[in-house]
Amino acid sequence: MCGIVGIVGKSPVNQAIYDGLTVLQHRGQDAAGIITIDNNTFSLRKANGLVKDVFHTRHMKRLQGSIGIGHVRYPTAGSSSSAEAQPFYVNSPFGIALAHNGNLTNAEALKERLFTLARRHVNTTSDSEILLNILAHELGKSEKMKLDAEDMFAAINEVNSLATGGYASIAMIIGHGILAFRDPSGIRPLVFGKRETEQGTEYMFASESVALKIDGYDFVRDVAPGEAIYVTEDGEFHSQLCAKQTTHAPCIFEFVYFARPDSVIDKMSVYATRVNMGTKLGEKIAREWSDKEIDVVIPIPETSCDIALEIASVLDLPYRQGFVKNRYIGRTFIMPGQEMRKKSVRRKLNAIDSEFKGKNVLLVDDSIVRGTTSAQIVEMAREAGAKNVYFASAAPEVRFPNVYGIDMPSAAELIAHGREVEDINASIGSDGLIYQSLPDLIAAVREENPEITRFETSVFDGQYITGDIDQNYLNRVDALRNDSAKSTREKAMSASLELHNQEAGEE
Ligand SMILES: O=P(O)(O)OC[C@H]1O[C@H](OP(=O)(O)OP(=O)(O)O)[C@H](O)[C@@H]1O
Ligand SMILES: NC(=O)CC[C@H](N)C(=O)O
Ligand SMILES: [Mg+2]
């Protein structure tokens, strides 16, 4: 899950993009980038690392201009090499930069098409570079020296009919403006807002509403599935639906884990959906575990805290923050490689022994994916002296790979793949394990916006909304992206040089 930001402003946008990216940092910790346009020239800074480490004062000073886009990356295709950090750039037509959140499911076919039809070379293994080239090729079909909104929308219509998968994207075109678009299933989130200034209206696009808020933009609305919005560099606003068929099926995992609780996605407050998840799961625990004695409810920080508090209230039990989170360690799930993820759990969380000693504890997490966190946390609770350790997950069993922008490429790496609850319970070492049911999870989220009739829930039920995913596809992705394949490729990629970002090596 990456984070994207774009601003068409009336004064320098570098600081606002930086600030927007810092509140989207939870969506990607691997790389960050900002590109701006000033005087008909792009200025780009991108590198591996957190926002605060990638942009130094000297970079910020060079990122001049009142229009720009930014990206924080969590790799879900290709490698984590800095050559695949975003935004990507292509010089024709006009000069285009693009930031992308999501994953294309037909990247290979598109790459082939780009080469045979347009003799376009894609230099990295990133699907986002392919998306940029597809867009560039479509925009290049018009021979006009200046494209208008209709030309932009015609290109996005083509992109939407060619590309499949999840893509919320922001493109910036020299001499034109910003073109933001969301895939026809609305899998990945994208919102926009505006701000009035003496010089005129400024527009901002972002993955999550929290970025608009901290930058002082008023939230306007979500970009609709299949919609494209074009804001010219002078601030003229145009929008159009650019897909023949749309279904609104937002990714439910955004609500379970990815998004910040203070964001609102597709009119659903992420915080409220998590509280609802707590209510439903609390009720299930009361129904099914009436024979179990539980003394205290303890969350596994950070994402599950809001859920666990609600469970405690439903069960009328005390809620205690028995684990202290090291604020300098990021999210473990989005770290690259199982070794690093595993090591980071103990560095990140530490038990307060007195909260566990002699007690029957109910540990709550938002989800159990690889089981990296849960297995170690149960062990830590026991080491701290807990009598019985029960475990509750606010999401159902994660049994299938994700292909739309969450890095869960390999079924074999998922602790619940092909296993029943008893078996998983034994594997994480708890004395009892309970999962939220999928209908309850959907109801918890939908309660905030009943107009949404479908969610992208493939990791729980193996139903892929784009209809182009079969077992062969999943086998290919597994072979390419499972942990050991990834680490071999990462080693090879680390030696590759970047084409458009020579400054990255200059420290
Ligand atoms: O079963 P696993 O593979 O361990 O994945 C699930 C865990 O990973 C996430 O936490 P993370 O540390 O990424 O972030 P958080 O601080 O937002 O909870 C999630 O909240 C679960 O705790
Ligand atoms: N998590 C994402 O949205 C990643 C975007 C893109 N697929 C990449 O790997 O860079
Ligand atoms: Mg967690």
Side-chain angles (χ1 to χ4, degrees), residues 257 300-304 331-333 348-349 365-367 373:
Y257 167 70
I300 298 169
E302 184 172 335
T303 301
S304 71
R331 298 184 114 180
T332 55
F333 175 73
K348 175 172 167 170
L349 298 167
D365 211 345
D366 51 87
S367 57
T373 308

Side-chain angles (χ1 to χ4, degrees), residues 181-453:
F181 53 103
R182 194 174 175 197
D183 66 75
S185 303
I187 299 173
R188 303 267 70 98
L190 187 62
V191 296
F192 76 96
K194 62 180 182 178
R195 182 166 79 173
E196 301 302 336
T197 69
E198 280 174 10
Q199 293 79 36
T201 311
E202 300 183 307
Y203 288 91
M204 176 170 178
F205 296 89
S207 297
E208 292 184 33
S209 58
V210 61
L212 304 181
K213 198 165 169 191
I214 71 116
D215 273 340
Y217 280 75
D218 294 326
F219 173 84
V220 176
R221 62 176 172 86
D222 298 87
V223 176
E227 184 187 26
I229 296 182
Y230 173 48
V231 180
T232 68
E233 52 189 4
D234 300 326
E236 258 175 52
F237 180 95
H238 305 267
S239 72
Q240 198 173 95
L241 194 62
C242 296
K244 283 182 202 86
Q245 261 202 322
T246 61
T247 37
H248 199 173
C251 170
I252 208 156
F253 219 72
E254 290 279 350
F255 300 91
V256 169
Y257 167 70
F258 268 105
R260 264 176 64 136
D262 47 349
S263 282
V264 177
I265 296 176
D266 292 322
K267 302 186 187 147
M268 294 168 276
S269 147
V270 174
Y271 175 78
T273 65
R274 288 194 186 145
V275 173
N276 299 344
M277 289 174 211
T279 314
K280 300 259 182 234
L281 186 54
E283 287 165 358
K284 182 172 178 186
I285 294 168
R287 262 191 331 266
E288 296 189 7
W289 276 4
S290 55
D291 58 324
K292 287 197 176 27
E293 209 178 299
I294 298 170
D295 302 317
V296 60
V297 177
I298 296 181
I300 298 169
E302 184 172 335
T303 301
S304 71
C305 294
D306 304 325
I307 302 166
L309 182 59
E310 176 65 11
I311 292 179
S313 134
V314 171
L315 297 177
D316 201 16
L317 286 171
Y319 166 88
R320 290 274 194 275
Q321 296 252 6
F323 292 105
V324 175
K325 180 178 160 250
N326 179 341
R327 70 181 71 209
Y328 303 102
I329 306 262
R331 298 184 114 180
T332 55
F333 175 73
I334 60 173
M335 288 175 179
Q338 185 59 5
E339 249 339 277
M340 185 167 173
R341 285 191 288 261
K342 216 165 156 180
K343 272 199 209 140
S344 299
V345 174
R346 274 187 187 254
R347 285 191 202 135
K348 175 172 167 170
L349 298 167
N350 191 37
I352 301 173
D353 291 0
S354 55
E355 292 304 316
F356 292 86
K357 217 170 197 69
K359 293 186 184 162
N360 299 306
V361 299
L362 173 64
L363 305 182
V364 177
D365 211 345
D366 51 87
S367 57
I368 303 173
V369 182
R370 296 179 178 87
T372 321
T373 308
S374 42
Q376 292 191 66
I377 285 288
V378 170
E379 205 175 284
M380 283 160 75
R382 290 205 193 284
E383 283 167 12
K387 198 152 91 189
N388 279 300
V389 183
Y390 302 114
F391 205 103
S393 165
E397 297 89 317
V398 174
R399 292 208 160 102
F400 302 92
N402 185 284
V403 296
Y404 302 124
I406 306 176
D407 198 30
M408 299 181 194
S410 173
E413 289 168 9
L414 306 171
I415 195 167
H417 178 70
R419 294 165 104 179
E420 290 312 318
V421 179
E422 268 321 297
D423 199 6
I424 306 164
N425 181 45
S427 168
I428 66 171
S430 42
D431 297 300
L433 169 64
I434 193 162
Y435 280 98
Q436 182 102 267
S437 73
L438 184 54
D440 275 356
L441 173 63
I442 293 173
V445 181
R446 220 183 141 217
E447 203 173 314
E448 299 307 308
N449 181 2
E451 281 172 21
I452 307 279
T453 53

